[in-house]
């Protein structure tokens, strides 16, 4: 199969297109996609996450089975979400125009972009902190620069942060070809360090002291089976963000086969291999250092050979830069450019994200997990619903087809113009299901919170099928979409009421009152009122 010829877009609206959002040259192959996933997996965060799965109290084979199931789910979604971008050669926010409308697409794009900005700042800070530790180890005289602070960060911390900030910006500024070359190098480089580290650990500790079970408890029976299901869900959730905007990279591939082949080697094969190496290293730190180290930076830093330790840490810093660029820099660049293509280029969109990452002072966020949880959690609640709407619309409503010209047409007769450029059905499905997943995320509901990605996705797909008239027809959907929305939002009330039965009557009364408002008028304003009352109820419940 040969790359598709881009359509004639000479009459495209300037409000919807620029050089970066238009169909691109498709010259990537499977190895570039493989490298993308290596950069996404081979990071300090990926290392800690993989190691944490081996502490769940499961046998090693159970953990590997759970990881395999979870990563296969990710692979399926990566293949599905990549297809429209590979077909058209356009990035994720432009593909969203098919489902949400040419202007409504900015809603999911901005949600994904804001999440990326927060994590971009945090990952940059972590890389800068690792660099600072290296400098302090080999240049102790720099210790004096850590005594004064500005906005919560030391003088040396600022120097390291800005150095990493500029370094990433330079790689990004040179364009996607530079990004591709960087991740092609960074992913394999980490494997070299990890294999060398694992070999050193086994040599020092002895194979008999390597265990593939890091937890202190052991589960069996139904408890073990349920924990396996949770582990698989955690794997899927960990990759949900990068997979959502995977189209930003699959658009450059010549064929769908290249994408699928790269996904196979980059996800199940690469992830499981990296996880096995990780647990070998973490397990071996106990007999060598007298404690179990879950941070690869700290493990490498304790190696007696100073040169080897420095090279290892710097390689892991490069890995962090790699995941930061592919997961948290490229995404907001396209997302923000999509808001005003004639004014914001891809480079400017990326720099807006980079500058924003400074103003949020990510070191303060990182040191306050509750702020991270509430800031990112609110936005992340919409990730699953975005999946649900996009996949349902593309594969069921549009039967896998997409009109590239219509993506850049702002005429009222355009296929994706809908109602003034917004597909109201998609937006309502997104908002309603996001409200429910947000409630589930912040209430102490136990293990159910691990499945919000799937709950939100299935709910949004179901609601979109109703709101859009796909299942019941336009006339029927116009009559029932409001009660359906109220029912789904009511689940949030039910969950909160179950936590405090004594407040059930108050909860039910508020819900009935909101239902009456919603069912007698237009959906938009009452749904917002309902969401507001639900939020008020949860806040008041939490304060009592």
């Amino acid at each position: 199969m040969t790359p598709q010829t881009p359509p004639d877009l000479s009459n495209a609206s300037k409000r919807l297109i620029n050089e970066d959002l238009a169909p691109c040259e498709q010259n990537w192959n499977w190895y570039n996609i493989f490298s993308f996933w290596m950069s996404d997996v081979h990071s300090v965060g990926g290392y800690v996450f993989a190691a944490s799965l081996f502490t769940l109290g499961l046998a090693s084979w159970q953990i590997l089975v759970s990881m395999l199931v979870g990563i296969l789910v990710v692979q399926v979604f990566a293949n599905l979400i990549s297809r429209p971008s590979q077909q058209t050669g356009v990035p994720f926010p432009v593909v969203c125009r098919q489902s949400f409308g040419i202007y409504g697409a900015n809603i999911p794009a901005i949600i994904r972009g804001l999440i990326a900005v927060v994590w971009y700042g945090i990952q940059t800070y972590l890389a800068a902190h690792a660099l600072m530790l290296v400098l302090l180890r080999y240049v102790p005289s720099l210790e004096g620069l850590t005594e004064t602070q500005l906005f919560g960060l030391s003088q040396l911390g600022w120097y390291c942060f800005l150095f990493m900030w500029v370094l990433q910006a330079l790689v990004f500024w040179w364009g996607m070809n530079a990004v591709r070359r960087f991740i092609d190098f960074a992913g394999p480089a980490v494997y070299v360090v990890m294999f060398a580290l694992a070999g050193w650990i086994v040599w020092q500790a002895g194979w008999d002291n390597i265990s593939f079970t890091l937890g202190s408890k052991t589960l069996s029976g139904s408890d073990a089976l349920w924990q396996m299901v949770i582990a698989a869900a955690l794997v899927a959730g960990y990759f949900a963000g990068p997979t959502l905007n995977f189209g930003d990279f699959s658009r450059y591939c010549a064929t769908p086969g290249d994408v699928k082949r790269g996904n196979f080697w980059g996800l199940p094969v690469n992830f499981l291999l990296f996880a096995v190496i990780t647990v070998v290293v973490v397990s071996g730190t106990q007999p060598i250092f007298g404690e179990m180290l879950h941070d690869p930076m700290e493990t490498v830093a304790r190696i007696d050979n100073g040169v080897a330790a420095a090279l290892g840490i710097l390689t892991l810093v490069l890995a962090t830069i790699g995941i930061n660029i592919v997961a948290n820099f490229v995404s907001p660049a396209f997302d923000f450019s999509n808001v005003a293509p004639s004014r914001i280029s891809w480079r400017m969109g990326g720099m807006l994200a980079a500058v924003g990452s400074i103003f949020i002072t990510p070191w303060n966020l990182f040191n306050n997990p509750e702020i991270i949880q509430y800031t990112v959690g609110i936005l992340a609640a919409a990730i699953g619903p975005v999946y649900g709407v996009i996949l349902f619309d593309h594969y069921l409503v549009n039967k896998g087809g997409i009109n590239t010209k219509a993506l850049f047409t702002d005429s009222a007769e355009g296929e994706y113009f809908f109602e003034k450029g917004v597909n109201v059905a998609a937006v309502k499905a997104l908002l309603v299901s996001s409200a429910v997943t947000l409630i589930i995320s912040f209430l102490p509901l136990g293990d159910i919170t691990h499945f919000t990605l799937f709950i939100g996705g299935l709910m949004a797909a179901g609601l979109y099928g109703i709101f859009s008239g796909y299942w019941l027809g336009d006339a029927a959907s116009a009559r029932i979409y409001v009660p359906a929305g109220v029912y789904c939002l009511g689940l949030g009330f039910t969950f909160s009421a179950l936590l405090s039965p004594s407040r059930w009557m108050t909860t039910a009364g508020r819900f009935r009152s909101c239902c009456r408002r919603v069912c007698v008028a237009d959906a938009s304003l009452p749904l917002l009122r309902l969401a507001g009352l639900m939020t008020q109820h949860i806040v008041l419940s939490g304060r009592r």
Side-chain angles (χ1 to χ4, degrees):
M1 182 181 293
T2 57
Q4 301 178 20
T5 303
D8 179 17
L9 297 176
S10 56
N11 295 323
S13 170
K14 293 182 179 179
R15 299 170 63 186
L16 298 174
I17 195 171
N18 60 29
E19 182 181 358
D20 305 305
L21 299 180
C24 64
E25 181 183 359
Q26 297 181 308
N27 54 9
W28 284 29
N29 57 35
W30 71 271
Y31 178 77
N32 302 128
I33 298 299
F34 176 35
S35 297
F36 164 82
W37 288 116
M38 279 196 290
S39 293
D40 197 55
V41 173
H42 302 175
S43 65
V44 175
Y47 180 100
V48 174
F49 173 72
S52 69
L53 296 178
F54 287 85
T55 65
L56 297 178
L58 299 172
S60 57
W61 70 267
Q62 293 173 320
I63 299 169
L64 292 175
V65 168
S66 302
M67 295 174 75
L68 179 61
V69 172
I71 205 66
L72 286 177
V73 170
V74 175
Q75 183 185 1
V76 169
F77 278 98
N79 288 337
L80 291 174
I81 208 75
S82 68
R83 182 64 177 130
S85 287
Q86 194 282 322
Q87 281 180 289
T88 58
V90 300
F92 165 74
V94 177
V95 167
C96 286
R97 295 174 185 176
Q98 179 184 40
S99 305
F100 289 88
I102 56 174
Y103 300 130
N106 286 320
I107 297 174
I110 290 299
I111 289 173
R112 176 66 185 99
L114 290 177
I115 294 174
V117 169
V118 174
W119 284 114
Y120 175 80
I122 291 174
Q123 291 275 20
T124 301
Y125 164 68
L126 292 176
H129 185 69
L131 177 61
M132 184 174 71
L133 293 178
V134 174
L135 292 175
L136 289 174
R137 175 172 179 174
Y138 296 102
V139 189
S141 60
L142 294 176
E143 184 71 33
L145 296 179
T146 63
E147 296 175 358
T148 58
Q149 292 195 343
L150 177 64
F151 300 115
L153 190 63
S154 68
Q155 185 177 352
L156 182 59
W158 270 106
Y159 291 153
C160 293
F161 181 84
L162 293 177
F163 174 78
M164 300 303 299
W165 188 93
V166 171
L167 182 61
Q168 293 174 114
L170 286 175
V171 175
F172 171 82
W173 193 262
W174 288 333
M176 282 302 295
N177 281 332
V179 172
R180 175 175 58 84
R181 288 192 294 269
F182 184 86
I183 62 178
D184 284 351
F185 164 78
V190 175
Y191 259 138
V192 173
V193 173
M194 289 298 293
F195 274 115
L197 182 59
W200 183 84
I201 287 286
V202 173
W203 176 58
Q204 291 287 325
W207 184 254
D208 293 339
N209 291 317
I210 302 298
S211 173
F212 285 85
T213 302
L214 305 181
S216 57
K217 61 180 181 179
T218 302
L219 301 176
S220 60
S222 60
D223 290 338
L225 180 60
W226 179 241
Q227 199 65 52
M228 291 176 67
V229 174
I230 292 176
L234 289 173
V235 172
Y238 178 80
F239 289 98
T243 305
L244 181 63
N245 65 284
F246 179 48
D248 292 340
F249 298 87
S250 67
R251 66 182 296 220
Y252 296 101
C253 278
T255 68
D258 283 323
V259 178
K260 292 179 180 178
R261 187 180 177 190
N263 286 345
F264 170 75
W265 288 102
L267 287 169
V269 176
N270 171 55
F271 181 62
L272 290 180
L273 178 59
F274 184 78
V276 170
I277 298 173
T278 295
V279 74
V280 168
V281 173
V282 174
S283 176
T285 58
Q286 178 70 45
I288 296 175
F289 302 113
E291 59 179 321
M292 192 172 292
L293 304 178
H294 292 84
D295 186 342
M297 297 285 191
E298 186 175 357
T299 302
V300 173
R302 294 197 184 189
I303 295 177
D304 295 334
N305 189 310
V307 175
L311 289 176
I313 292 177
L314 291 176
T315 304
L316 291 173
V317 168
L318 286 179
T320 302
I321 295 175
I323 186 178
N324 217 13
I325 290 176
V326 300
N328 302 320
F329 211 150
V330 172
S331 171
F334 284 121
D335 295 334
F336 296 155
S337 178
N338 189 70
V339 175
S342 61
R343 297 183 177 87
I344 304 176
S345 66
W346 178 72
R347 286 182 173 84
M348 183 179 294
M351 294 312 297
L352 287 174
V355 172
S357 71
I358 298 177
F359 284 99
I360 64 173
T361 60
W363 46 90
N364 291 324
L365 287 178
F366 182 75
N367 292 323
N368 193 331
E370 288 187 359
I371 295 180
I372 294 180
Q373 179 185 2
Y374 284 101
T375 302
V376 180
I378 290 173
L379 297 171
I383 291 289
V386 171
Y387 272 106
V389 172
I390 292 177
L391 294 179
F392 189 97
D393 182 76
H394 180 73
Y395 287 99
L396 295 182
V397 176
N398 290 285
K399 303 185 185 308
I402 187 168
N403 185 341
T404 306
K405 281 189 175 182
L407 295 172
F408 300 97
T409 302
D410 62 358
S411 168
E413 290 74 33
E415 185 175 350
Y416 306 133
F417 189 78
F418 298 103
E419 298 179 33
K420 298 182 180 180
V422 178
N423 184 356
V424 177
V427 173
K428 287 179 178 177
L430 172 65
L431 293 178
V432 171
S433 50
S434 296
V436 175
T437 54
L438 180 63
I439 292 170
I440 294 174
S441 298
F442 286 100
L443 288 178
L445 299 177
D447 292 339
I448 192 175
T449 58
H450 299 306
F451 301 93
T452 52
L453 175 69
F454 301 99
I455 294 172
L458 290 173
M459 182 178 296
L463 288 177
Y464 183 67
I466 296 173
F467 294 169
S468 64
Y470 176 80
W471 281 332
L472 303 174
D474 294 335
S477 66
R479 291 195 301 271
I480 70 168
Y481 74 92
V482 174
V486 174
Y487 171 76
C488 291
L489 280 172
L491 291 177
F493 270 115
T494 303
F495 285 132
S496 60
L498 288 175
L499 297 176
S500 180
S502 63
R503 302 188 188 116
W504 170 254
M505 295 305 297
T506 302
T507 302
R510 289 177 178 173
F511 179 58
R512 285 195 299 270
S513 175
C514 291
C515 285
R516 286 195 294 270
R517 299 183 195 177
V518 173
C519 293
V520 298
D522 176 74
S524 303
L525 183 58
L527 279 176
L528 292 177
R529 290 174 180 167
L530 178 57
L533 285 177
M534 291 171 63
T535 304
Q536 182 184 36
H537 169 75
I538 294 170
V539 171
L540 291 176
S541 298
R543 287 178 179 174
R544 292 171 187 165

